[in-house]
């Protein structure tokens, strides 16, 4: 049983008053909120290890209540961490003796402008619920991360998320028009007076909230671009003689302006596990508003694929991916846990000239002690490069885990990659962030100190 000090008791009583009783410090609740989906935290939990516990959890229902909570934390010097879907995989929400501020009750669609193609929402709205709302009106956000069933809008912005359709529609930073947030001192960073497509009114402090992982405040509202649901689509898959041939085909497709909604290139190992087909596979989905335009793109893409030796493998692989795409981790756990193994996913991004080198070097991690499999696919394509996404199974041992990560980060940094494409930093990657961004980290920490001099907003992460 946790000992309660007078200071803590006073804080908890004022906390309860601030949100009308919508808070809890029960041991069961604190354990639920003690982690996100970081595989190492899950492993520790399975092994019976205690994770750092927050002091309490609060569920505000308005901007005004978030302001009260943050000001209360400042008064009592209690750190706080924003929480939404809890679907991150980097330990960003782990914060010992913090107040967890869960915004999921702030889940309203405030306004949908069909004429202007944007939606204004509260940050706690679940992505799935927002997509269902939009679909019912003929619109879509077209943002489908792996965490789609659990993710909330505020968390997607705070981790700088991308979705599976990002090759055509962009990441969350491309969809975000404006946001509202509560700063670490309890002040409000408001929405712009007017929703506009772009403005040149100086540097935007709100841009810092993208990828900030709760270290610079709590996002409370967001205005996001939406799209009409495309009426025409094309789905197919293609087998190639090599992973490189498939990548080079996608490079030419993207650089020719024929951008697909989805392109995913699976190496032989990954393809064998996902589809039962040990070939290098490309799956494609195209979406358009014009049938003639779609047919023209399909024709041009077909010619490019043929030049790189691709052979049609049918729509079934695409349908299988669509059916299982949000179940990858749960399916993987069913496979590896009974064998005494565990799992991890590591994503990076690099320019075209470095992708094959990183893929080749990274696959050598399979030779390390305790590592059983290294699967790889490429997704999230850009004119200048792509994301490589690795799935590993290994002996369920924390030393093996960190050995894998140290080697993985060495490989990507020495061969032209980034330490993170879309999962973020959290507790997991903070050891390597300076190696990538250098003195920029010092300037970011100065900004953090200016906005959060008491170091209360999700402390202990890469900004301090």
């Amino acid at each position: 049983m946790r000992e309660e000090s007078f200071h803590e008791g006073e804080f908890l009583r004022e906390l309860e008053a601030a949100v009308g009783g919508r808070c809890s410090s029960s041991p069961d609740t604190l354990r639920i909120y003690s982690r996100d989906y970081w595989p190492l935290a899950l492993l520790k939990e399975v092994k019976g290890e205690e994770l750092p516990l927050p002091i309490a959890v609060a569920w505000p229902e308005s901007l005004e209540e978030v302001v009260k909570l943050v000001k209360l934390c400042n008064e009592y010097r209690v750190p706080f961490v924003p929480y939404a879907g809890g679907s991150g995989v980097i330990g960003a929400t782990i914060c010992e003796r913090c107040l967890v501020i869960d915004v999921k009750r702030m889940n309203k669609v405030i306004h949908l402008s069909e004429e202007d193609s944007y939606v204004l929402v509260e940050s706690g709205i679940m992505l799935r619920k927002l997509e269902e709302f939009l679909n019912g009106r003929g619109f879509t956000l077209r943002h489908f991360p792996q965490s789609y069933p659990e993710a909330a809008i505020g968390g997607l912005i705070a981790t700088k998320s991308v979705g599976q359709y990002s090759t055509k529609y962009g990441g969350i930073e491309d969809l975000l028009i404006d946001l509202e947030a509560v700063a670490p001192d309890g002040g409000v960073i408001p929405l712009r007076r007017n929703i506009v497509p772009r403005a040149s009114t100086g540097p935007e402090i709100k841009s810092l909230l993208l990828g900030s992982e709760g270290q610079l405040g709590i996002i409370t509202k967001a205005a996001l671009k939406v799209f009409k649901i495309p009426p025409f689509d094309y789905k197919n898959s293609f087998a190639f003689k090599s992973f490189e041939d498939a990548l080079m085909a996608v490079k030419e497709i993207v650089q020719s302006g024929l951008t697909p909604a989805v392109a995913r290139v699976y190496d032989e190992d990954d393809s064998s596990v996902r589809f039962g087909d040990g070939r290098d596979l490309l799956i494609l989905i195209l979406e358009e508003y014009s049938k003639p335009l779609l047919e023209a793109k399909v024709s041009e893409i077909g010619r490019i694929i043929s030049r790189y030796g691709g052979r049609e493998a049918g729509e079934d692989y695409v349908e299988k991916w669509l059916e299982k795409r949000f179940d990858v981790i749960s399916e993987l756990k069913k496979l590896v846990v009974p064998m005494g193994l565990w799992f991890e996913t590591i994503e990076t991004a690099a320019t075209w000239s470095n992708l094959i080198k990183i893929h080749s070097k990274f696959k050598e991690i399979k030779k390390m002690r305790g590592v059983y499999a290294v699967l790889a696919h490429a997704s999230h394509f850009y004119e200048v490069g792509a994301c490589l996404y690795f799935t590993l199974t290994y002996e369920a041992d924390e030393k093996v885990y960190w050995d894998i990560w140290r080697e993985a980060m060495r490989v990507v940094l020495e061969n032209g990659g980034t330490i993170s494409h879309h999962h973020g930093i959290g507790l997991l990657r903070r050891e390597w962030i300076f190696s990538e961004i250098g003195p920029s980290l010092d300037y970011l920490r100065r900004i953090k100190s200016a906005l959060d001099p008491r170091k209360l907003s999700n402390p202990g992460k890469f900004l301090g």
Side-chain angles (χ1 to χ4, degrees):
M1 180 70 71
R2 177 169 50 87
E3 289 187 7
E4 178 179 278
S5 67
F6 175 78
H7 173 277
E8 183 176 323
E10 287 293 315
F11 172 77
L12 292 176
R13 281 188 283 275
E14 291 202 40
L15 173 64
E16 187 172 4
V19 290
R22 283 175 272 102
C23 58
S24 176
S25 58
S26 74
D28 288 345
T29 299
L30 299 185
R31 275 193 289 273
I32 290 170
Y33 282 86
S34 67
R35 60 160 177 81
D36 51 16
Y37 278 86
W38 184 16
L40 181 60
L42 293 172
L43 178 60
K44 286 176 178 287
E45 193 173 67
V46 166
K47 288 178 173 287
E49 295 184 36
E50 286 290 329
L51 297 173
L53 294 177
I55 193 172
V57 181
W59 295 275
E61 292 184 343
S62 66
L63 169 68
E64 291 73 22
E65 287 189 344
V66 175
V67 169
K68 285 182 185 178
L69 291 173
V70 173
K71 287 186 175 179
L72 183 64
C73 287
N74 273 267
E75 180 183 347
Y76 280 87
R77 303 295 197 271
V78 173
F80 61 89
V81 56
Y83 192 100
S87 58
V89 294
I90 52 172
T93 64
I94 294 175
C95 187
E96 187 168 14
R97 295 191 63 73
C98 288
L99 173 65
V100 175
I101 301 176
D102 185 345
V103 298
K104 280 199 291 292
R105 293 177 72 99
M106 298 171 59
N107 54 18
K108 298 182 186 68
V109 175
I110 298 167
H111 177 61
L112 169 63
S113 175
E114 296 187 12
E115 181 179 5
D116 299 321
S117 296
Y118 77 85
V119 67
L120 179 63
V121 298
E122 291 182 315
S123 64
I125 190 168
M126 304 304 287
L127 176 58
R128 183 193 286 273
K129 293 296 184 184
L130 176 56
E131 185 67 18
E132 290 171 356
F133 169 86
L134 293 170
N135 291 173
R137 290 150 182 81
F139 286 85
T140 174
L141 198 64
R142 254 357 185 206
H143 192 73
F144 304 115
Q146 182 75 51
S147 58
Y148 176 74
E150 300 94 9
I153 290 298
L156 296 170
I157 296 168
T159 54
K160 206 169 184 180
S161 162
V162 294
Q164 295 156 346
Y165 284 57
S166 70
T167 297
K168 181 176 178 70
Y169 298 97
I172 197 71
E173 69 273 20
D174 301 298
L175 303 176
L176 183 65
I177 301 169
D178 198 5
L179 62 79
E180 172 191 87
V182 176
D185 64 357
V188 176
I189 301 171
L191 290 161
R192 186 183 296 279
R193 176 172 177 169
N194 301 309
I195 299 292
V196 295
R198 187 181 187 275
S200 179
T201 51
E204 291 201 53
I205 190 170
K206 286 175 278 193
S207 298
L208 292 169
L209 274 292
L210 269 164
S212 64
E213 300 178 15
Q215 297 173 93
L216 300 176
I218 301 175
I219 298 163
T220 50
K221 292 186 182 73
L224 299 156
K225 189 189 307 182
V226 297
F227 306 90
K228 291 182 179 177
I229 297 174
F232 304 103
D233 65 24
Y234 165 84
K235 303 168 188 169
N236 213 337
S237 63
F238 302 86
F240 287 80
K241 291 181 179 179
S242 73
F243 188 69
E244 183 173 7
D245 287 344
L247 281 183
M248 292 304 101
V250 179
K251 174 187 176 183
E252 186 168 335
I253 289 168
V254 172
Q255 292 184 343
S256 297
L258 302 168
T259 308
V262 175
R264 298 174 76 86
V265 179
Y266 292 84
D267 72 6
E268 293 177 351
D269 295 328
D270 209 348
S271 179
S272 180
V273 171
R274 315 280 183 189
F275 305 111
D277 185 335
R279 296 181 290 175
D280 296 288
L281 284 177
L282 163 65
I283 68 171
L284 278 179
I285 300 176
L286 277 72
E287 296 182 334
E288 296 297 340
Y289 299 98
S290 159
K291 189 173 183 180
L293 177 57
L294 177 68
E295 290 172 345
K297 284 190 171 184
V298 169
S299 177
E300 287 299 310
I301 285 172
R303 280 194 278 272
I304 292 171
I305 287 173
S306 293
R307 284 204 302 273
Y308 287 91
R311 294 292 178 265
E312 189 171 326
E315 191 177 327
D316 287 351
Y317 293 122
V318 185
E319 294 296 345
K320 186 172 182 179
W321 173 73
L322 286 168
E323 180 185 352
K324 297 287 187 181
R325 59 186 166 142
F326 303 126
D327 302 328
V328 173
I329 297 302
S330 59
E331 292 297 315
L332 191 59
K333 284 172 71 176
K334 290 177 190 175
L335 179 67
V336 304
V337 171
M339 301 168 61
L341 304 179
W342 206 244
F343 64 93
E344 182 59 288
T345 57
I346 302 176
E347 38 40 277
T348 184
T351 54
W352 294 109
S353 60
N354 289 316
L355 285 174
I356 294 301
K357 181 170 55 175
I358 290 176
H359 176 262
S360 175
K361 297 288 186 183
F362 202 106
K363 295 286 284 190
E364 292 178 8
I365 290 175
K366 186 179 179 180
K367 300 174 184 177
M368 293 176 60
R369 184 189 70 81
V371 180
Y372 284 77
V374 179
L375 316 177
H377 65 265
S379 53
H380 313 296
F381 289 92
Y382 309 90
E383 285 82 357
V384 297
C387 167
L388 287 173
Y389 194 100
F390 298 93
T391 303
L392 301 94
T393 60
Y394 59 93
E395 182 183 331
D397 177 84
E398 187 170 348
K399 182 181 185 305
V400 174
Y401 178 87
W402 285 115
D403 286 347
I404 289 170
W405 268 96
R406 291 186 185 99
E407 180 61 11
M409 295 298 93
R410 184 194 68 78
V411 167
V412 299
L413 286 168
E414 291 183 5
N415 291 282
T418 174
I419 64 171
S420 179
H421 173 258
H422 59 269
H423 284 172
I425 305 301
L427 290 175
L428 173 57
R429 288 177 163 109
R430 60 181 177 173
E431 177 182 337
W432 299 283
I433 188 168
F434 185 83
S435 298
E436 177 165 337
I437 70 173
S440 296
L441 182 60
D442 296 330
Y443 286 98
L444 287 172
R445 286 174 173 166
R446 289 191 207 177
I447 293 170
K448 161 79 166 170
S449 294
L451 295 175
D452 185 17
R454 291 172 177 164
K455 299 182 178 179
L456 299 179
S457 193
N458 202 6
K461 309 306 190 298
F462 67 93
L463 293 183

